[in-house]
Structures are given as C-alpha cells and as structure tokens.
Amino acid sequence: MAVITNNDFLYNVFGGFTHFTWQSAVMILIGCILIYLGAAKDYEPLLLVPIGFGCILANLPLTELIHVPRDGYVFNHSIQEALGEAGLMPFVEGARVVNEGILDVLYNAGIANELFPCLLFIGIGAMTDFGPLLQNPRVMLLGGAGQFGIFLTLMLALAIGYEKLEAICIAIIGACDGPTSIFITSMFNPALLGPISVAAYSYMSLVPLIQPPVMKLCTTKKEREFIMSYEMLTPVTQRTKILFPIVVTIVTLLIAPSGGALMGTLMFGNFLRECGAVGRLVQAAENEIANITTLFLGLTVGATMTGEVFLTAKTLGIFALGFIAICGDTAFGVFGAKLMNLFSKQKINPLIGASGISAFPMSARVAQKVGNEANPQNYLLMHAMGVNTSGQIGSVLTASVMIAIIGALQTMGVDLTI
Amino acid sequence: MANVNAPMAGKLISVDVKVGDTVKKNDPVATLEAMKMQIKVFAPADGKVAEIKAEAGANIDPSVVIMTLE
Amino acid sequence: MEAIGNMTFGWLLTVVGLVMTMTSLGVLIIVVNILKKFQN
C-alpha cells in the first residue's frame, strides 16, 4: 500500500495530467481552431486539418512523438548504444537520449531535407496549364512584380529586429506559396516552421478576402473598367508547351543553380503533363503523390508547433508581417501593370497585376470578379490565369535567387547568424 | 442587332434567356464555365433575343456566337 | 567569419534578388517569343 500513496508514483502514473501546462492547453485550443477553420469553414482543409491535428498530438505531454527540430536530444539508435558501451558516445552535454517518435521519422524523412515540398511541386507542375501565359508571355513580368512584397517584408522584418535568416523565412510568406515557404524555412530556420506555414496557408486561403480591398485602393474605377480583348492572346502549339518547361529549367537554373530542387521539380511535373506520353505518371503526381505528401507534410509541420516555440511575440510578428507581405504583393503587382502600360502600346487592365502571386487559381478568380464588378463586359479570367501561373514561376524563381545569394554569401565566409 | 459572343474559351453551362425575351445591357444572359469557375455572360446591348445559336454543354470560344439580339 | 549589418544584408538581397529575378523573367519572355516564332 505504501507504493499507492507514494506521491511520485501518482505523479508519474498520471503524467499526462501532471505535465499538462497552460501552454499545452493554449496550443491544443489553437490546433482545434485550425481544424475548425479547415473542416467547417473550408479554409485550405487539406492542410489545416492535418496541421491542426499534428499540433494537438505534439502538445499533449509525454507522447514522445516528435523531438526535432529542437536541440538537446540524441536519438537512441543501436549504433549509439554500441558506441556508448565502448565509452565513445558522442554526447552533447546535457542532451537527453530518446527513442525516435513516429513524427521524428517523418520529419527527418521529408522536412529536414526539404523532400516533401519538392514532391508537392511535381504535383503542382502536373496540375498547371501554362497555356494562357504562353499566349501572352510578356505578362510574365507581372509574376515578378508580384514578388516585390517579399522584399518589402524582408526589409521591414530586418528593421524591427528579426535575425537575418528569420527575416528571410518570414518574407517568403509573401510568395503566397505553401511549399516554397516550408522549403525555405526548413532550410534556414526550422524552428519557425509552425508559425510560418500556418501563416502562409491561412493567408493563402484568405486571398479572396485580402486582395479585393487592396486592388480597389490601388486603382481608379476607370482603370478597373478597362476591357482587355482576347485578341492579344496568340495561339500556342503543343510543341511550344512541351518545350517551355525544359527552357525554363535550363534558363532559371543557369541563373540560380541552388533553386534546382524547387524549379526542377515544378517544371518536371509540368513536362510530364505536357509531353502526353506518361498519363499514369501525371495521375500519380497530381493525385497519389500529392495527397500522401500533403498528409505527411501537414501532420509533421503541425507537430512542430509546440508551445515554447509558438507562443511567443515572434509568432504575432510573423502573422503581422505575413499580412503586409501579401498586401504588398498585390499592390506592387497592380502598380507593375500600370508601369507596363506606360511603356507598351497594348494596354492591360492593372487588376490582372494582382494575380502575380502563387495562390492559384484563387488570385485569378479575384481579378475576374473585381473586374467584372466594375464593368460586366470585362472578362479578365484568362489574362489573369496567365499572370497567376507566371506568379508561380516568379515565386519559385525569387526563392531560388534568394537561396543562391545566401549561398554565395556563406561561401564567401559571411556569418549570417549574427 | 448585336451578337453575343463567348467572352473566353470554356464550356457553356446554360443559356439563361429565351427567344423573344427583352434584355437590357449588362443583364446576365448565359453561364459559362472556364477554369472551374462559373462566369456570367452579360448582354452587350439592349435588345430582344432573336436567336439562340449555341447549346448548353457545348465547348465554345470567342469566335462562337451564343445568341443574337435585335 | 566576416559579419554584415542587418540592413546592408537586406538591401543587398533586395537589389540583387530583384535584378536577378526580373532578368531571368525577361530572358524567359524572349525565349518564349523565339519559340513561338518557330512554331509553324
């Protein structure tokens, strides 16, 4: 009977309760909100539901499902046992030896090495039709203008005191592209994976709400009413569509080789689609592989959202800056389109500039809706689709270029962690 | 006399007026689906529907006349 | 290890990043236009 009344014993038997902190409670609540937003409100359910559940799992105490990306752990592999017995354990002072949890396995398999976002990109490439873009290739410039918000946010984040590599991860939310954000963050600052991917995916789903007011603010009614004819779209043959992904791969990777993982997989997926010979692979890429990866990615990213990382002022800052990034992208896109009109004979409606982000096809639909509201005779959808797909290229390109520049700085021996 | 052309390539979901209906400029006259988005086609001018030339379910592009107004 | 100021880093990344991004897109537009010339 002495054992039953022992406080230590009770403390350990009911460890789930005794280790429960207010942070656990808040994080579980946040997980539930994410699940609610996904499942009941239909905001990016494919991602927010697994992220929310992963968040709940990771914040229940003592589940030992995930330890990375935090420091202070050594995984208990047999090789380490052998080394330990020989007295050779390469032990970090104060590190805890733990068994690898199932979510550690997923994390190390696909997030630590950036594999999952790249697998998703094959699927995205296979789903994207660059036809409308190829019909009017000069709008590709707008896909670049739509990325200016990234740099605006980068400067803001640095100005208010975020570290360099943190600032990059936050700024990339402005790419409005989940996989790119996750790729960059796991590369430069994995501790921020949770807040950044949640911010990226929630703002992506809010694009139809965030963009219209910014678009209206940046244009006059007369500009919005401008009708774009479909005559400026010149037809493209299948051969051009097949050659396009190859050309993009070669050109962009010569300029920014370190973007190979992102651009290479995106364009590979698109080539599968356009070459027409591998229907089964296209099916697999856009269904099975994309679905499985989304599931693993969401669950694991959600599980990185532990209270000690998420419940900080930094997270609030990330959400605020991410919002600025997307508003900035929209405004810069619209002004980029106006700038193009100054130099070009064929005028375009500035609204389509706002679609130069990676949120596909939501952003093109927004341009169609806002344009159609201003003038019912105005059908911008196909033009906006072209800009929207160029926004996907633009965001991946910007990310690749940033990786290239940082890589160059690091090769030169510049320390970016201080 | 005005032709209502398809504003963009897509699938005609429905024609929302009948022959003989009077329509005003910017009244919705047909529904089109393009890029998985349903888009209303609006009348380019006031008039009366004279003839409906396209059928629901057909794939159309800007060269196709959906209906004529008079 | 050399160090670099936060804002210097920001401007460097912004200017070089924008120039490289827009140049790549410009090159892509030219290449696509060339491709389209040959498509008949």
Side-chain angles (χ1 to χ4, degrees):
Chain A
M1 290 305 284
V3 179
I4 302 296
T5 53
N6 185 317
N7 279 337
D8 282 348
F9 179 75
L10 285 178
Y11 184 81
N12 287 322
V13 161
F14 295 106
F17 293 96
T18 50
H19 287 77
F20 199 82
T21 58
W22 68 269
Q23 283 98 335
S24 320
V26 175
M27 290 311 295
I28 289 171
L29 187 69
I30 290 177
C32 292
I33 292 173
L34 292 177
I35 291 178
Y36 172 75
L37 288 178
K41 293 284 171 182
D42 210 29
Y43 291 143
E44 297 280 331
L46 295 180
L47 279 144
L48 289 191
V49 170
I51 287 181
F53 207 92
C55 175
I56 295 178
L57 280 180
N59 284 289
L60 285 166
L62 304 183
T63 52
E64 302 285 339
L65 290 169
I66 188 160
H67 306 90
V68 281
R70 288 161 290 165
D71 294 327
Y73 296 96
V74 172
F75 288 122
N76 188 10
H77 294 303
S78 50
I79 177 78
Q80 279 170 333
E81 257 169 47
L83 284 172
E85 276 166 22
L88 291 172
M89 190 81 167
F91 232 171
V92 187
E93 194 68 36
R96 216 178 107 209
V97 183
V98 292
N99 290 318
E100 206 171 16
I102 52 166
L103 295 177
D104 284 320
V105 177
L106 283 180
Y107 184 92
N108 289 328
I111 297 198
N113 52 22
E114 299 118 24
L115 175 68
F116 287 164
C118 296
L119 288 178
L120 274 187
F121 263 122
I122 300 182
I124 294 172
M127 283 179 236
T128 307
D129 177 8
F130 286 112
L133 172 62
L134 294 175
Q135 290 172 358
N136 190 13
R138 71 199 173 96
V139 296
M140 223 183 293
L141 288 178
L142 295 174
Q147 314 304 322
F148 282 34
I150 295 180
F151 296 102
L152 172 79
T153 315
L154 175 74
M155 296 304 281
L156 274 177
L158 287 170
I160 62 175
Y162 281 92
E163 287 165 25
K164 298 184 188 74
L165 295 180
E166 282 177 347
I168 289 172
C169 302
I170 297 169
I172 209 74
I173 297 176
C176 224
D177 186 336
T180 308
S181 301
I182 293 176
F183 185 93
I184 294 274
T185 312
S186 52
M187 191 174 240
F188 293 126
N189 199 336
L192 294 182
L193 263 177
I196 286 189
S197 47
V198 169
Y201 280 113
S202 12
Y203 288 141
M204 260 171 79
S205 64
L206 292 175
V207 156
L209 296 177
I210 298 175
Q211 283 203 312
V214 182
M215 289 158 85
K216 286 179 187 160
L217 206 65
C218 297
T219 48
T220 61
K221 178 132 200 303
K222 207 166 163 229
E223 284 171 324
R224 290 199 293 277
E225 282 172 353
F226 178 77
I227 296 179
M228 283 177 79
S229 82
Y230 276 76
E231 274 153 28
M232 67 171 78
L233 301 182
T234 51
V236 283
T237 56
Q238 191 60 28
R239 193 169 57 177
T240 311
K241 287 172 96 177
I242 294 175
L243 288 175
F244 181 68
I246 301 178
V247 167
V248 174
T249 310
I250 296 174
V251 171
T252 55
L253 293 189
L254 280 176
I255 294 174
S258 35
L262 288 173
M263 193 60 98
T265 46
L266 181 68
M267 288 299 144
F268 172 62
N270 188 246
F271 182 76
L272 288 182
R273 170 200 173 96
E274 299 299 350
C275 78
V278 287
R280 282 168 51 186
L281 299 190
V282 178
Q283 286 290 323
E286 61 183 16
N287 299 311
E288 290 85 359
I289 296 178
N291 290 343
I292 293 170
T293 316
T294 305
L295 200 159
F296 288 163
L297 185 81
L299 191 64
T300 320
V301 162
T304 62
M305 290 169 50
T306 44
E308 66 218 70
V309 181
F310 200 85
L311 296 176
T312 55
K314 257 183 197 169
T315 304
L316 284 179
I318 289 170
F319 273 84
L321 287 167
F323 184 75
I324 294 174
I326 288 172
C327 295
D329 282 344
T330 311
F332 279 118
V334 171
F335 287 114
K338 290 190 194 187
L339 191 71
M340 269 176 76
N341 276 344
L342 288 182
F343 294 100
S344 133
K345 262 193 215 143
Q346 259 184 346
K347 302 293 180 213
I348 56 174
N349 189 314
L351 289 179
I352 66 167
S355 302
I357 56 172
S358 192
F360 180 86
M362 292 89 91
S363 188
R365 291 179 185 167
V366 169
Q368 157 73 20
K369 262 191 198 141
V370 177
N372 201 261
E373 241 168 55
N375 179 357
Q377 302 298 326
N378 204 356
Y379 302 94
L380 296 174
L381 185 65
M382 282 302 170
H383 297 285
M385 279 294 170
V387 181
N388 211 173
T389 49
S390 77
Q392 291 193 308
I393 297 182
S395 66
V396 170
L397 191 58
T398 310
S400 312
V401 164
M402 283 170 113
I403 300 171
I405 300 173
I406 292 165
L409 285 174
Q410 284 169 339
T411 316
M412 285 162 55
V414 180
D415 188 357
L416 297 175
T417 54
I418 47 170
Chain B
M1 181 76 185
N3 286 337
V4 183
N5 279 61
M8 64 184 83
K11 191 174 156 195
L12 189 62
I13 297 285
S14 62
V15 177
D16 307 334
V17 288
K18 300 188 299 291
V19 173
D21 283 0
T22 318
V23 292
K24 284 208 178 65
K25 187 176 177 184
N26 295 342
D27 279 354
V29 293
T31 312
L32 183 75
E33 190 187 279
M35 296 276 168
K36 294 186 180 149
M37 184 184 187
Q38 294 208 350
I39 291 164
K40 290 279 175 202
V41 180
F42 296 93
D46 293 352
K48 204 165 135 189
V49 180
E51 190 187 353
I52 292 175
K53 292 191 166 181
E55 264 178 51
N59 285 313
I60 50 176
D61 62 61
S63 65
V64 175
V65 179
I66 301 175
M67 65 185 74
T68 55
L69 304 176
E70 64 182 10
Chain C
M1 278 287 190
E2 286 177 61
I4 179 173
N6 267 6
M7 293 322 275
T8 324
F9 170 76
W11 282 115
L12 184 79
L13 206 62
T14 304
V15 174
V16 182
L18 283 180
V19 169
M20 279 173 80
T21 308
M22 295 319 268
T23 319
S24 321
L25 289 173
V27 174
L28 281 180
I29 294 174
I30 295 166
V31 177
V32 170
N33 279 325
I34 296 172
L35 277 182
K36 284 177 80 173
K37 283 237 167 68
F38 286 101
Q39 70 182 3
N40 308 314

